[in-house]
Amino acid sequence: MEFKVNSKELEKLLSKLYPAVPSRSPISQLENFLMEIKDGKLTAYASDLEVALKASLNIVSEENVKFAIPAKLIYDMVKTFSDTTIHFQFADNGKINVTTDKGKYKISYLDADEYPELPSFSTDDVENIEKFSINGLDLKYIFDKTYFALSKDEVRPAMNGVFFQMGEEGLKNVATDGHRLVFINKKNAEFSYNAEFIVPERAVSILMKSLDDSDVTLYFKKEGSSTVSFVLNDVELVTRLIDKKYPDYRAVIPAENDNLLKISLKDLQDAIKRMMLFTTSSNTRRVKFSITNNNLEISAEDVDKGASGTENVICEYSGEPMDIGFNSVYLNEVLSHMPSESDILFKLYNPTKAAILEPEKKKDNFDLLMLLMPVRLNN
Amino acid sequence: MEFKVNSKELEKLLSKLYPAVPSRSPISQLENFLMEIKDGKLTAYASDLEVALKASLNIVSEENVKFAIPAKLIYDMVKTFSDTTIHFQFADNGKINVTTDKGKYKISYLDADEYPELPSFSTDDVENIEKFSINGLDLKYIFDKTYFALSKDEVRPAMNGVFFQMGEEGLKNVATDGHRLVFINKKNAEFSYNAEFIVPERAVSILMKSLDDSDVTLYFKKEGSSTVSFVLNDVELVTRLIDKKYPDYRAVIPAENDNLLKISLKDLQDAIKRMMLFTTSSNTRRVKFSITNNNLEISAEDVDKGASGTENVICEYSGEPMDIGFNSVYLNEVLSHMPSESDILFKLYNPTKAAILEPEKKKDNFDLLMLLMPVRLNN
């Protein structure tokens, strides 16, 4: 049994799959690519058993075979070759002889049945299957705005992913860690059914690296989906879903925040970045906003270091004068995920209730809202 | 007491000194810049007590003062300002009030006498003082070629720096960790005296970041120098020297390596990089060279992973056929510090004695030689 493949084409294929290979897994077989050659087509897989990636390539081969090969070794090796033909030959001793114009190499392979079963999208229950397509850049936008806010804390598994909710108001996505929340609504999409699921962090992280302006098609089940399939170009990503109830985000977003503050994003970011220097000694990283008529005074004090700072930023404010504290690191993160060309609108209720932040100008067809919990002011 | 300084000029000054500030020191005072204002000139210092940096700036000030100020806080703050005037005012409560067009900040300062005594270059014993100048790029070349080879192992303190040796044959520099050695000789420099000293790793590392094509002047004592001063542009670096006897490197460099191998640097590097993939399981990271008439066979075997590779590289060889093993990581590092445009000459004696590597074309006025100890072949 033997087959041949162009080095650059194989490199491209493996580069798409490599992000799903776990760098260290208790199941060492997962540190391989699973490869299937069938009717002149090489299909390769990589997985950590939560997320699986699959991609294909036409090659020269007379026979069919399925095997697993060390992912890091073969990928690192293929990357070093210039444009050439790689010749794979299966020997009897459990090795593959790899030959190029540079030299000869032997690599141990595994039989395919030693590789664990991959997560897959079941096509049973066909009536229940739905699909929808979204431009890759739109999906990337959604992930860019939400990913930072999802919880990395394993004690809250429902929050360890990005929430998808489809219905007649379009596609809604949410991420939160309890301190801040991002809500985004793609309005130019309409669904004749309601469906929802939570895509885990690792799937989002891998997708963010792969998305471009090609369309992506999602396959899922309207009810009780345990996996979702994302098909983009020649790559399929299947991910297990987080099998938990997502928190009721609508109950958290306040409706009565009538104190409105409009401010330049850049001016505010500049000031917050400096104020962060005065918050490094405390856990809450607190900055204080003192808002009066069209003036925002921002201050921070590092008691341990005996250092403090105060700045004034021009704003437009309609509401009661208010002192409110925020975690400067969280605030800075929220601001850095706002559209950069826009002013920012704060909607406030009082110093103990969640603040709403919105960009003044929103991306076409997208609603975007971020929520930030205040921190207590002692004085 | 007050003074004013332009933000961009202060940023530039502090950026030169900041590399010498220890990020964590048991002597917390060292996490400050020491600043002295005298007759309209601000001189700032940073040190970890091994290396001290000093730079100056003309400013607007009526009075003289000396104080210490938290380095990271002031540097991070100054970096965020656009081009503006920063106004420093000393308050009675141990604070400096800092005012800019952006806001007001308070920073605690220390009295200068709380800052430890800096390493300095003593001008006593003036007869014993020597100096010489070298172009910054030449000194950078010397450090670029030697730095990687010095020992980071504290049990061999003499090797924890770059050796300087001045005499009638010019400037000689050496670095070694016992596995490999770099010798470099700047021949177009002549000294009427003999002097030698070991510049510690941290001083070399800081200098490498600062050197440009301006001349650098070194001040030292012909005998018993405990410090050396490097003066470059407006910055002075004083470093303590390593007070140990440097190993006799001349005794280590073999003179009878008559087996000569000439090979393309790029071809060899490409092959070694691939072979390194087959050496990750072993401590010695061994690659085997099998040298016959004008052919170099390079091979490596990873017994744990059941993987191996063999490549042949064209070369010119005059000598006995020889099998010799090298640590692939050390060899790769040595090769990556060779001049990239040149072929490489190996001078070999036998499989147990040090190999000499030289670039075929050397930089004008520089002699360069690297030594690499072989590793044992079991078969």
Side-chain angles (χ1 to χ4, degrees):
Chain A
M1 168 60 203
E2 60 182 335
F3 67 96
K4 288 177 185 173
V5 58
N6 173 273
S7 61
K8 289 293 149 195
E9 288 179 28
L10 184 59
E11 181 184 347
K12 198 173 156 200
L13 182 83
L14 300 183
S15 73
K16 291 173 187 162
L17 304 177
Y18 195 69
V21 177
S23 55
R24 283 214 146 185
S25 171
I27 305 163
S28 65
Q29 290 89 336
L30 294 173
E31 292 167 21
N32 290 268
F33 291 120
L34 178 65
M35 292 193 173
E36 180 171 25
I37 291 166
K38 202 172 176 183
D39 307 334
K41 191 172 180 181
L42 165 63
T43 304
Y45 303 81
S47 178
D48 65 351
L49 297 190
E50 182 178 66
V51 177
L53 281 172
K54 169 186 169 184
S56 297
L57 179 67
N58 291 321
I59 59 158
V60 177
S61 171
E62 302 289 318
E63 293 165 83
N64 295 338
V65 65
K66 200 167 173 184
F67 62 101
I69 190 168
K72 182 168 163 52
L73 178 58
I74 189 75
Y75 182 48
D76 283 348
M77 208 168 116
V78 167
K79 278 192 289 185
T80 69
F81 292 129
S82 48
D83 195 341
T84 187
T85 299
I86 310 180
H87 191 161
F88 292 81
Q89 283 173 298
F90 290 77
D92 291 334
N93 56 357
K95 310 241 177 195
I96 299 178
N97 294 323
V98 180
T99 314
T100 74
D101 57 345
K102 294 289 181 191
K104 292 172 192 291
Y105 319 91
K106 287 181 204 289
I107 300 178
S108 295
Y109 69 92
L110 295 180
D111 287 329
D113 53 16
E114 294 184 51
Y115 193 89
E117 195 181 349
L118 292 168
S120 63
F121 181 71
S122 157
T123 50
D124 296 349
D125 189 15
V126 66
E127 304 261 307
N128 192 17
I129 294 178
E130 290 289 346
K131 68 168 180 174
F132 85 93
S133 291
I134 179 170
N135 182 273
L137 293 184
D138 281 352
L139 188 56
K140 192 166 163 34
Y141 181 79
I142 290 169
F143 288 152
D144 282 346
K145 297 300 174 213
T146 50
Y147 180 78
F148 81 97
L150 64 78
S151 172
K152 279 88 187 170
D153 186 346
E154 289 179 10
V155 303
R156 295 169 145 181
M159 296 184 185
N160 295 161
V162 172
F163 185 54
F164 278 67
Q165 189 177 46
M166 283 141 285
E168 59 183 17
E169 290 175 5
L171 170 66
K172 295 176 179 175
N173 292 94
V174 183
T176 183
D177 64 357
H179 301 288
R180 55 261 168 96
L181 177 148
V182 179
F183 167 83
I184 187 163
N185 182 11
K186 186 175 186 299
K187 292 181 288 187
N188 63 340
E190 209 172 290
F191 300 89
S192 60
Y193 53 86
N194 291 315
E196 54 185 55
F197 48 78
I198 311 167
V199 176
E201 183 275 331
R202 194 165 143 83
V204 175
S205 151
I206 293 173
L207 281 166
M208 285 169 84
K209 289 174 201 143
S210 318
L211 292 166
D212 57 27
D213 67 352
S214 327
D215 278 2
V216 182
T217 305
L218 282 74
Y219 295 85
F220 54 93
K221 305 219 166 132
K222 271 182 300 209
E223 283 182 25
S225 224
S226 63
T227 59
V228 167
S229 162
F230 293 80
V231 178
L232 47 152
N233 299 320
D234 49 349
V235 180
E236 181 184 3
L237 179 145
V238 174
T239 178
R240 290 189 201 285
L241 295 170
I242 296 175
D243 186 21
K244 298 279 171 195
K245 179 87 187 134
Y246 202 74
D248 180 9
Y249 67 89
R250 282 153 304 202
V252 182
I253 300 174
E256 295 171 329
N257 284 15
D258 294 333
N259 297 287
L260 301 183
L261 171 75
K262 193 174 112 178
I263 194 162
S264 149
L265 174 61
K266 192 184 171 312
D267 289 353
L268 182 58
Q269 277 184 301
D270 280 358
I272 295 298
K273 276 183 188 149
R274 263 189 299 276
M275 287 303 135
M276 285 170 71
L277 304 174
F278 298 96
T279 67
T280 51
S281 301
S282 77
N283 281 334
T284 61
R285 304 295 307 261
R286 192 186 67 198
V287 287
K288 178 179 169 185
F289 279 31
S290 301
I291 318 167
T292 51
N293 188 23
N294 298 346
N295 182 65
L296 169 61
E297 183 189 274
I298 307 174
S299 58
E301 184 173 4
D302 190 327
V303 179
D304 287 6
K305 293 189 182 157
S308 61
T310 306
E311 300 198 8
N312 288 282
V313 185
I314 295 166
C315 65
E316 289 175 30
Y317 185 59
S318 66
E320 293 294 307
M322 194 186 297
D323 287 355
I324 184 169
F326 293 108
N327 178 312
S328 57
V329 176
Y330 289 160
L331 177 55
N332 181 54
E333 241 181 338
V334 163
L335 294 176
S336 68
H337 288 86
M338 285 287 179
S340 58
E341 65 285 0
S342 173
D343 281 351
I344 294 296
L345 205 62
F346 281 75
K347 296 180 179 174
L348 306 168
Y349 185 74
N350 73 22
T352 62
K353 292 282 193 311
I356 294 173
L357 283 81
E358 291 178 15
E360 205 210 0
K361 284 183 211 143
K362 288 172 183 168
K363 185 176 160 78
D364 284 352
N365 301 315
F366 278 94
D367 210 1
L368 174 64
L369 172 156
M370 304 201 190
L371 216 73
L372 185 62
M373 290 305 294
V375 295
R376 190 182 295 275
L377 294 172
N378 299 320
N379 47 345
Chain B
M1 168 60 203
E2 59 181 336
F3 66 97
K4 289 177 185 172
V5 58
N6 173 272
S7 60
K8 290 293 149 195
E9 288 180 27
L10 184 58
E11 181 184 348
K12 197 173 157 201
L13 182 84
L14 300 183
S15 71
K16 291 172 187 163
L17 304 177
Y18 196 67
V21 177
S23 54
R24 282 211 147 189
S25 171
I27 305 163
S28 64
Q29 291 88 335
L30 293 173
E31 292 166 22
N32 291 269
F33 292 120
L34 178 65
M35 293 191 173
E36 180 170 24
I37 291 166
K38 203 171 174 184
D39 307 334
K41 190 173 181 181
L42 165 63
T43 305
Y45 303 81
S47 178
D48 65 352
L49 296 190
E50 181 179 68
V51 178
L53 281 171
K54 169 185 169 184
S56 297
L57 178 66
N58 292 321
I59 59 158
V60 176
S61 171
E62 302 289 318
E63 293 166 84
N64 295 338
V65 66
K66 200 168 174 184
F67 62 101
I69 190 168
K72 183 169 163 50
L73 177 59
I74 189 76
Y75 182 48
D76 283 348
M77 208 169 116
V78 167
K79 278 192 289 186
T80 70
F81 293 128
S82 48
D83 195 341
T84 187
T85 299
I86 310 180
H87 191 161
F88 292 82
Q89 282 174 298
F90 289 78
D92 292 334
N93 55 357
K95 310 240 179 201
I96 299 178
N97 294 322
V98 180
T99 313
T100 73
D101 56 346
K102 294 289 181 193
K104 291 172 193 290
Y105 320 91
K106 285 181 204 290
I107 300 177
S108 295
Y109 69 91
L110 295 180
D111 287 329
D113 53 17
E114 295 183 51
Y115 192 90
E117 195 180 348
L118 291 169
S120 63
F121 181 71
S122 155
T123 50
D124 295 349
D125 188 15
V126 65
E127 304 261 304
N128 192 17
I129 295 178
E130 291 288 345
K131 69 168 181 175
F132 84 93
S133 290
I134 179 170
N135 182 272
L137 294 184
D138 281 350
L139 188 57
K140 192 165 164 31
Y141 181 79
I142 290 169
F143 288 153
D144 282 345
K145 297 300 173 211
T146 51
Y147 181 77
F148 81 96
L150 63 78
S151 172
K152 279 87 187 171
D153 186 346
E154 290 182 7
V155 302
R156 292 170 148 180
M159 297 183 183
N160 296 160
V162 172
F163 185 55
F164 277 68
Q165 189 176 45
M166 284 141 285
E168 59 184 15
E169 291 174 5
L171 171 64
K172 294 177 179 175
N173 291 94
V174 183
T176 183
D177 64 357
H179 301 289
R180 56 261 167 97
L181 177 148
V182 179
F183 167 83
I184 187 164
N185 182 10
K186 186 174 186 296
K187 291 181 289 188
N188 64 340
E190 210 172 289
F191 300 88
S192 60
Y193 53 86
N194 291 313
E196 54 185 56
F197 47 79
I198 311 167
V199 176
E201 182 276 333
R202 193 165 144 82
V204 175
S205 153
I206 292 172
L207 281 166
M208 285 169 85
K209 288 173 203 145
S210 319
L211 291 166
D212 56 28
D213 67 352
S214 326
D215 278 1
V216 182
T217 305
L218 283 75
Y219 295 84
F220 54 93
K221 304 217 169 136
K222 271 181 301 205
E223 283 181 26
S225 223
S226 63
T227 59
V228 167
S229 161
F230 293 80
V231 178
L232 48 153
N233 298 321
D234 48 351
V235 180
E236 181 184 3
L237 179 147
V238 174
T239 178
R240 289 190 202 282
L241 296 170
I242 295 176
D243 187 20
K244 298 281 171 192
K245 178 88 186 135
Y246 202 75
D248 181 8
Y249 66 89
R250 281 153 305 202
V252 182
I253 300 174
E256 295 171 330
N257 285 15
D258 293 334
N259 297 287
L260 301 183
L261 170 75
K262 193 174 111 177
I263 193 161
S264 148
L265 173 61
K266 192 182 170 314
D267 290 352
L268 182 58
Q269 278 183 301
D270 281 358
I272 295 298
K273 276 182 188 150
R274 265 189 297 276
M275 287 303 133
M276 285 169 70
L277 304 174
F278 298 97
T279 67
T280 52
S281 302
S282 78
N283 280 334
T284 61
R285 304 295 307 263
R286 192 187 66 197
V287 287
K288 178 178 169 186
F289 278 32
S290 302
I291 317 167
T292 51
N293 189 23
N294 298 347
N295 182 66
L296 169 61
E297 183 189 274
I298 307 174
S299 59
E301 185 173 5
D302 191 327
V303 179
D304 287 6
K305 292 191 182 156
S308 61
T310 306
E311 300 198 8
N312 287 283
V313 184
I314 294 166
C315 65
E316 289 175 29
Y317 185 58
S318 66
E320 293 294 306
M322 195 186 298
D323 286 356
I324 183 169
F326 293 109
N327 179 311
S328 57
V329 176
Y330 289 160
L331 177 55
N332 182 55
E333 241 182 339
V334 163
L335 295 176
S336 69
H337 288 86
M338 285 288 178
S340 59
E341 65 284 0
S342 173
D343 283 349
I344 294 296
L345 206 62
F346 282 74
K347 297 180 179 174
L348 305 168
Y349 186 74
N350 71 23
T352 62
K353 292 282 194 312
I356 294 174
L357 282 81
E358 291 177 18
E360 204 208 0
K361 283 182 212 143
K362 289 173 182 168
K363 185 175 159 78
D364 284 352
N365 302 316
F366 277 95
D367 210 1
L368 175 63
L369 172 158
M370 304 201 190
L371 215 73
L372 185 60
M373 289 307 293
V375 295
R376 190 182 294 273
L377 294 172
N378 298 321
N379 48 346

